[in-house]
Amino acid sequence: MGKTTKRTKSTGTAKSYPLSGAQALQVLSMLRQNHPELESEISQLSSGVFNDVSIEDVAQEVYYALNSLEAHDCWEASGRQWDGGYRDEYEVADEMVMEAFSPFLSQINTFHAIGEFASELTYIEGVLKGLYQFQKEATTDFSDYTEDYPDSFATDILSDWRHRHPDDSSGLETLHSFLSEQCPDWADAFIAK
């Protein structure tokens, strides 16, 4: 028969365990239940982490998501299908781009829905910078399928922001300044709308 390991309470320094996201949420929930006095601090720390948006990091994520798309994947998924149908390569390309880009649109909507408008604006700036970088510096062979997307996505994002924040002149000024510095080809078009 095998030996059983006796569990003992560890002494000394507390350990950090590599918890999954679900496990970390479970620990946080238990901590909140066991120590209700920590509710405010947990909320404050959560807000700080959630709203810690880096324009550069977001831009890199957008650029990478689009630049990692490959024409080969599009060609494999298009054409004659086993079930007798046919998928146009541009339809497939559109699906691929939307799948890669939809998490960024979702995050913008999340910031807006919970009223974190400053984070929403900063995140939008990161997304715009990533789109602009992709438009100017794409290295993927898939970019032939995506040449219109950066402009189209940027236009839609900016239009949605203006619709959601019609009276935010400070945000409008911030966006125009950002576009003038980081995405100069889009600055005049944004102001003209």
Side-chain angles (χ1 to χ4, degrees):
M1 238 177 153
K3 287 185 171 182
T4 58
T5 305
K6 185 178 175 187
R7 291 185 181 204
T8 59
K9 190 171 185 178
S10 62
T11 57
T13 317
K15 288 184 180 180
S16 290
Y17 295 93
L19 301 176
S20 70
Q23 290 170 323
L25 285 174
Q26 185 179 3
V27 168
L28 186 60
S29 177
M30 290 165 40
L31 184 62
R32 186 175 271 165
Q33 285 176 343
N34 294 340
H35 302 281
E37 71 277 8
L38 295 176
E39 179 78 29
S40 176
E41 187 173 356
I42 290 171
S43 179
Q44 185 179 6
L45 292 171
S46 297
S47 173
V49 169
F50 183 76
N51 289 302
D52 184 21
V53 178
S54 162
I55 292 171
E56 294 303 322
D57 289 349
V58 174
Q60 285 180 346
E61 290 172 21
V62 169
Y63 176 81
Y64 178 78
L66 295 175
N67 202 52
S68 65
L69 297 174
E70 295 185 19
H72 179 74
D73 294 334
C74 180
W75 301 331
E76 281 188 357
S78 63
R80 187 174 290 162
Q81 304 295 298
W82 288 104
D83 64 2
Y86 179 84
R87 291 188 72 200
D88 180 73
E89 68 184 270
Y90 288 95
E91 244 178 68
V92 172
D94 185 57
E95 289 172 12
M96 290 172 65
V97 170
M98 292 310 295
E99 183 178 330
F101 195 68
S102 65
F104 303 105
L105 297 175
S106 179
Q107 185 61 45
I108 290 169
N109 290 334
T110 298
F111 280 126
H112 183 77
I114 62 173
E116 294 293 347
F117 303 135
S119 296
E120 175 192 14
L121 187 61
T122 303
Y123 193 84
I124 285 172
E125 290 173 337
V127 170
L128 294 172
K129 185 172 182 172
L131 287 169
Y132 194 79
Q133 180 183 1
F134 178 74
Q135 183 179 54
K136 298 295 184 186
E137 303 170 12
T139 59
T140 179
D141 57 356
F142 192 82
S143 60
D144 291 343
Y145 294 104
T146 61
E147 60 188 286
D148 295 335
Y149 282 101
D151 282 334
S152 177
F153 285 148
T155 299
D156 290 348
I157 289 168
L158 292 168
S159 176
D160 286 349
W161 183 87
R162 288 180 103 161
H163 177 72
R164 290 174 169 176
H165 305 278
D167 301 323
D168 188 353
S169 58
S170 174
L172 185 64
E173 188 177 311
T174 298
L175 270 175
H176 184 259
S177 177
F178 174 81
L179 290 171
S180 296
E181 293 173 17
Q182 302 292 324
C183 313
D185 295 348
W186 294 345
D188 291 337
F190 176 63
I191 285 301
K193 294 189 183 239

